[in-house]
Amino acid sequence: MKKILGILLIAVIALGGYSLTKYNDLMRAEEDINSVWGNVESAYQRRADLIPNLVNTVKGQANFEKETLTAVIDARAKATAITLDPKTATEEDMAKFQEAQQGVNSSLSRLLVSVEKYPELKAHEAFLNLQAQLEGTENRINTERNNFNAAVKEYNKQVREMPTKIAAMIMGFKAKPQFKAEAGAEKAPTVNFN
């Protein structure tokens, strides 16, 4: 009987040690996600901070389309109102966040297309500087989103691999959502120079 209790005690200690190790691994992976998410938010915030300067620069053109500027301001307001906690985010939360950010992308695209009608604005140094900063920021956003997806992928692999999956379920670790490609991103845009 003592031998069986001894074996059970060793098994419980080994299982506890294994679970503790896996808990620490999962916590580190989750903290990596939180850190990378901070970079994503920072890149999006940089874009949001550039928008008022861009709008004010464009507003200087007396007959610039007011509805285009309003759309940019409204999209920015919606996007900055949505926050996401990567620890508790669901697929739905991530979709709402992405939708709000896509609204900013769309309104900025319309704004930049509208600028084509205003040659003096296109040549304005402040506008050109802001446009270059926005392009750089969009590249940063893409890079940070990719880094976030890589961190989530590593975490999700740990949560789903056996035997860690059992420890993750017991300790409440769940798979995290990633950024997804936007609808239609798989199709190349049609370019027509007519």
Side-chain angles (χ1 to χ4, degrees):
M1 183 70 161
K2 285 184 176 183
K3 193 174 188 178
I4 292 173
L5 286 175
I7 291 171
L8 284 175
L9 182 61
I10 290 172
V12 167
I13 291 172
L15 184 60
Y18 174 79
S19 295
L20 185 60
T21 300
K22 287 303 158 191
Y23 176 81
N24 289 337
D25 290 346
L26 290 167
M27 283 301 294
R28 274 192 289 281
E30 195 170 55
E31 286 305 314
D32 287 345
I33 290 171
N34 295 339
S35 174
V36 175
W37 180 252
N39 295 339
V40 170
E41 287 182 317
S42 177
Y44 277 121
Q45 185 61 51
R46 176 173 164 69
R47 179 177 67 182
D49 292 345
L50 287 171
I51 289 173
N53 294 333
L54 182 66
V55 167
N56 287 333
T57 300
V58 172
K59 234 187 235 183
Q61 293 298 315
N63 53 355
F64 194 84
E65 295 95 357
K66 186 175 183 167
E67 65 191 52
T68 303
L69 293 175
T70 302
V72 171
I73 293 166
D74 291 347
R76 177 188 182 269
K78 273 186 193 173
T80 56
I82 293 180
T83 57
L84 188 75
D85 181 354
K87 284 187 179 186
T88 58
T90 63
E91 293 281 340
E92 284 180 348
D93 296 336
M94 186 63 82
K96 287 178 187 174
F97 182 84
Q98 280 188 254
E99 184 179 323
Q101 296 302 331
Q102 182 54 36
V104 175
N105 287 348
S106 296
S107 64
L108 280 174
S109 293
R110 285 190 300 276
L111 174 73
L112 294 175
V113 166
S114 297
V115 165
E116 293 299 317
K117 301 174 195 171
Y118 301 88
E120 63 281 354
L121 181 58
K122 285 183 1 184
H124 193 274
E125 186 177 335
F127 175 78
L128 293 173
N129 182 31
L130 286 167
Q131 188 176 17
Q133 287 184 49
L134 272 172
E135 287 172 9
T137 299
E138 291 301 324
N139 289 335
R140 286 183 194 163
I141 289 170
N142 187 48
T143 298
E144 296 306 339
R145 283 174 49 144
N146 288 340
N147 291 341
F148 176 78
N149 279 353
V152 169
K153 177 183 174 187
E154 286 304 310
Y155 169 85
N156 285 347
K157 281 193 319 189
Q158 288 185 44
V159 168
R160 291 181 175 142
E161 287 177 344
M162 290 299 272
T164 307
K165 181 176 185 171
I166 296 167
M169 286 175 20
I170 291 169
M171 292 180 269
F173 289 95
K174 297 177 183 165
K176 310 262 185 216
Q178 294 181 309
F179 281 103
K180 294 192 179 348
E182 286 150 27
E186 72 283 354
K187 298 175 188 168
T190 304
V191 178
N192 188 353
F193 293 109
N194 291 331

